[in-house]
Amino acid sequence: MAIEDEKKEAGGWKDCFWNPRTHELLGRTASSWGLILLFYLVFYTFLAGMFCLTMYVMLLTLDDYKPTWQDRLSTPGMMIRPKGEALEIVYNIKETESWDSYIQALDNFLAPYNNSQQAMNNDDCPPDTYFIQEDSGDVRNNPKRSCQFNRTILEDCSGLTDRTYGYEAGKPCVLIKLNRVIGMRPGKKIIGSQDIQAPYVTCGAKKEDSDTIGEIAFFPPNGTFNLMYYPYYGKRAQVNYSQPLVAVKFTNITFNMDINVECKINALNSESDPEQKFSERDKFAGRVSFKLRINKM
């Protein structure tokens, strides 16, 4: 009896998978399996079609040259070159290998700013005025032209007169750039005049290091971002756009000490946003802080 019960139990398990009497597979006949597979095929085809239609309609609302929706940034971010690790520039004057990486980084970054490259790709624009290139209705004025930013504008920090950018002499140069914002027209209207004051950079040490930073030189003079480089129309519309730079040269810094430097942008906001505000939550909005240490042992 035990053997017959085992055979019946084994036969029952087999019937659950395939029943030869009713021709059912896992409890369903061939027609039942066909109907349920057809249902899911139609259902998922419909979902895929809805997804493709939604994506197609959304893509119709996008512009290839500028964002359809763009937050109004009151203050764009700032960054330095060379960056180093954790925004720290630390080296020893007598150890060439400690500052050679900074020189290479600056050489690579400034290569597109060579005068010959700029003359070939960009225009010699009139300074101190916006370079506006509006579209004519539905007719796009693309590609848009860009103004030259020649490397020689950086003078002592161009790497042309001093290949080491002052690092070998303990007078390092640091380049500052503003993040690109499409359509932004920086500058502050001068009271009683139609002229616009160009935004400019100022740098200084934190309070605890105010006596150790020494004199600072700016290139171009006064550390200005000329108005002719604005507005920016986007990477696709303005293919050869050269982002303006400001070079900061520390000419008399105290050696063998950590110095916390902060650079910020001034006179940035336009007439429509007269009050310049810096966000306490975003430490890179309109300013950048970095540590500078030059060892001389």
Side-chain angles (χ1 to χ4, degrees):
M1 292 293 295
I3 296 176
E4 291 180 0
D5 291 341
E6 289 179 2
K7 288 181 178 180
K8 289 180 179 179
E9 185 177 354
W13 281 106
K14 292 179 180 179
D15 289 344
C16 289
F17 180 76
W18 167 251
N19 192 325
R21 297 186 302 275
T22 60
H23 296 88
E24 293 180 348
L25 178 65
L26 296 176
R28 290 183 180 274
T29 61
S31 60
S32 177
W33 277 112
L35 289 174
I36 197 170
L37 290 176
L38 178 63
F39 168 79
Y40 281 111
L41 176 64
V42 173
F43 177 69
Y44 285 114
T45 300
F46 174 77
L47 288 182
M50 285 293 295
F51 175 76
C52 293
L53 179 62
T54 303
M55 292 296 295
Y56 174 74
V57 173
M58 185 191 70
L59 290 174
L60 289 178
T61 66
L62 300 181
D63 193 309
D64 292 337
Y65 294 94
K66 64 179 180 180
T68 303
W69 306 105
Q70 183 177 1
D71 292 336
R72 179 63 179 174
L73 297 176
S74 59
T75 309
M78 293 180 68
M79 188 47 64
I80 63 170
R81 292 292 187 275
K83 290 191 297 185
E85 294 184 6
L87 293 181
E88 295 182 355
I89 300 176
V90 181
Y91 71 95
N92 191 310
I93 294 177
K94 296 184 178 180
E95 297 177 3
T96 306
E97 63 277 6
S98 67
W99 47 264
D100 188 60
S101 60
Y102 299 136
I103 306 307
Q104 293 180 9
L106 290 172
D107 282 340
N108 294 334
F109 182 75
L110 289 176
Y113 291 91
N114 288 333
N115 289 21
S116 58
Q117 191 76 16
Q118 290 292 312
M120 181 172 58
N121 295 329
N122 297 331
D123 294 355
D124 187 11
C125 303
D128 305 324
T129 183
Y130 296 123
F131 189 32
I132 299 175
Q133 305 171 77
E134 298 292 351
D135 297 329
S136 301
D138 294 334
V139 179
R140 295 188 181 276
N141 180 23
N142 292 327
K144 300 185 186 298
R145 296 170 296 160
S146 302
C147 296
Q148 296 180 17
F149 187 94
N150 293 318
R151 188 170 177 171
T152 50
I153 294 175
L154 301 177
E155 300 182 31
D156 293 349
C157 292
S158 65
L160 301 175
T161 56
D162 180 5
R163 192 195 66 82
T164 67
Y165 301 91
Y167 282 77
E168 185 176 22
K171 301 178 180 181
C173 290
V174 176
L175 304 182
I176 297 177
K177 66 184 185 73
L178 275 176
N179 289 348
R180 303 179 185 185
V181 178
I182 294 177
M184 184 183 71
R185 299 185 187 184
K188 191 172 183 178
K189 186 176 181 180
I190 300 174
I191 299 176
S193 173
Q194 295 298 319
D195 296 333
I196 302 294
Q197 180 183 4
Y200 61 95
V201 174
T202 55
C203 295
K206 298 292 181 68
K207 293 182 179 180
E208 63 274 14
D209 301 323
S210 58
D211 297 331
T212 58
I213 194 169
E215 296 180 358
I216 302 176
F218 294 92
F219 308 98
N222 302 321
T224 58
F225 290 105
N226 200 287
L227 298 179
M228 65 181 177
Y229 301 107
Y230 302 97
Y232 171 60
Y233 290 98
K235 187 175 182 180
R236 187 166 183 177
Q238 226 169 347
V239 179
N240 295 320
Y241 180 75
S242 295
Q243 197 166 357
L245 307 171
V246 167
V248 182
K249 187 178 183 68
F250 300 90
T251 60
N252 189 26
I253 198 168
T254 303
F255 297 138
N256 305 317
M257 291 188 64
D258 290 343
I259 301 175
N260 295 301
V261 183
E262 182 180 66
C263 296
K264 62 181 181 179
I265 191 71
N266 303 273
L268 176 72
N269 296 306
S270 62
E271 185 179 5
S272 60
D273 189 11
E275 295 184 2
Q276 181 173 333
K277 298 179 181 179
F278 293 101
S279 172
E280 292 299 327
R281 290 180 296 179
D282 189 351
K283 299 300 182 182
F284 294 96
R287 56 185 169 177
V288 61
S289 298
F290 57 96
K291 186 178 82 173
L292 181 61
R293 181 186 179 94
I294 305 174
N295 296 320
K296 187 177 182 181
M297 304 295 292

